[in-house]
Amino acid sequence: MKNKFFIALLAFFALATANVNAQQKIGYISLDYILAQMPEAKQVETELTTTKTQYDNMYQQKVKDFQTKLADYEKNAPTMADVIKADREKELQSMQSSIEEFRQNSSVSLQKKQSQLLQPLLKKIEDNMHAVAKENGYAFVFNYDAGQGTTPIVLHAPDDANISDLILKKMGVTPKPFAPAPATPAATTPAAPAKKN
């Protein structure tokens, strides 16, 4: 008898919990879609592109200088005194190290700058997402975008669960039809120069 009562009680709580859960609204956003439409994102993209161009130009100049010195070394090596030859080889190795260090440092610096510039935009989206979710009774909001080259977090959902446009409107941005956003500049630089033999 106690077992039947216990099972009935469990069933009652299970149904009550299922009923409460069924009434909770679940929504999702597309962070990339929202970012692509924010005017501030265009400023961030412009600033990142400018910085990347500066890094690329500096990198190319370093590679050009290295290639010029390497060509001169290869041309004149047979007639150089051993001391001069050793000094030039040391200089070329130092230049190569400097190029590689600059490539790595510029990549890290660009990633940091991108993160720093995007942080206020992401905070603005988050704050408005919380406000929209609260105003419209959404208990949970997921991000559709899991990141470049990954599987989305939300694999299937009804269109009316997408609250991205509501967030844009909350921020004062008129949503435009979905179009793939132009990629922000990658935080990489060209490949390292060929090593001397």
Side-chain angles (χ1 to χ4, degrees):
M1 184 81 162
K2 280 187 178 182
N3 285 341
K4 288 182 183 180
F5 176 74
F6 184 67
I7 291 171
L9 189 62
L10 277 175
F12 172 75
F13 282 120
L15 287 173
T17 304
N19 191 27
V20 168
N21 287 338
Q23 294 175 358
Q24 292 182 337
K25 285 174 74 175
I26 297 174
Y28 68 94
I29 65 169
S30 174
L31 188 60
D32 291 342
Y33 169 75
I34 295 170
L35 270 173
Q37 296 197 46
M38 293 176 69
E40 303 97 315
K42 289 170 183 47
Q43 295 166 347
V44 167
E45 186 177 346
T46 299
E47 194 168 335
L48 288 173
T49 300
T50 300
T51 301
K52 185 177 183 315
T53 300
Q54 291 171 350
Y55 289 159
D56 287 347
N57 290 342
M58 179 71 161
Y59 178 84
Q60 293 302 330
Q61 185 59 51
K62 284 178 167 284
V63 170
K64 184 179 175 187
D65 292 346
F66 172 80
Q67 290 171 338
T68 301
K69 290 218 181 234
L70 178 61
D72 180 63
Y73 169 81
E74 289 172 343
K75 178 181 173 189
N76 297 312
T79 60
M80 285 182 193
D82 288 344
V83 172
I84 295 172
K85 192 174 184 179
D87 185 66
R88 294 274 172 90
E89 287 172 356
K90 187 177 177 181
E91 180 183 13
L92 286 168
Q93 288 172 351
S94 176
M95 289 177 79
Q96 232 177 351
S97 295
S98 174
I99 289 168
E100 181 58 26
E101 183 179 351
F102 180 80
R103 187 183 68 76
Q104 291 173 355
N105 290 343
S106 63
S107 178
V108 168
S109 175
L110 195 61
Q111 287 173 346
K112 278 184 183 176
K113 184 169 189 157
Q114 182 178 25
S115 178
Q116 182 182 31
L117 292 172
L118 285 176
Q119 191 58 41
L121 277 66
L122 296 175
K123 176 73 172 134
K124 182 177 181 179
I125 292 170
E126 180 183 8
D127 291 346
N128 283 281
M129 180 271 306
H130 287 301
V132 166
K134 194 173 195 175
E135 290 167 6
N136 293 280
Y138 285 93
F140 300 96
V141 177
F142 294 95
N143 181 17
Y144 181 82
D145 311 314
Q148 193 172 25
T150 60
T151 304
I153 294 169
V154 177
L155 299 177
H156 176 77
D159 290 340
D160 63 346
N162 186 347
I163 63 171
S164 301
D165 287 345
L166 294 175
I167 293 169
L168 284 167
K169 290 174 186 172
K170 183 85 171 160
M171 293 188 298
V173 177
T174 303
K176 297 176 186 135
F178 180 75
T184 54
T188 58
T189 54
K195 295 185 181 194
K196 70 177 192 73
N197 295 333

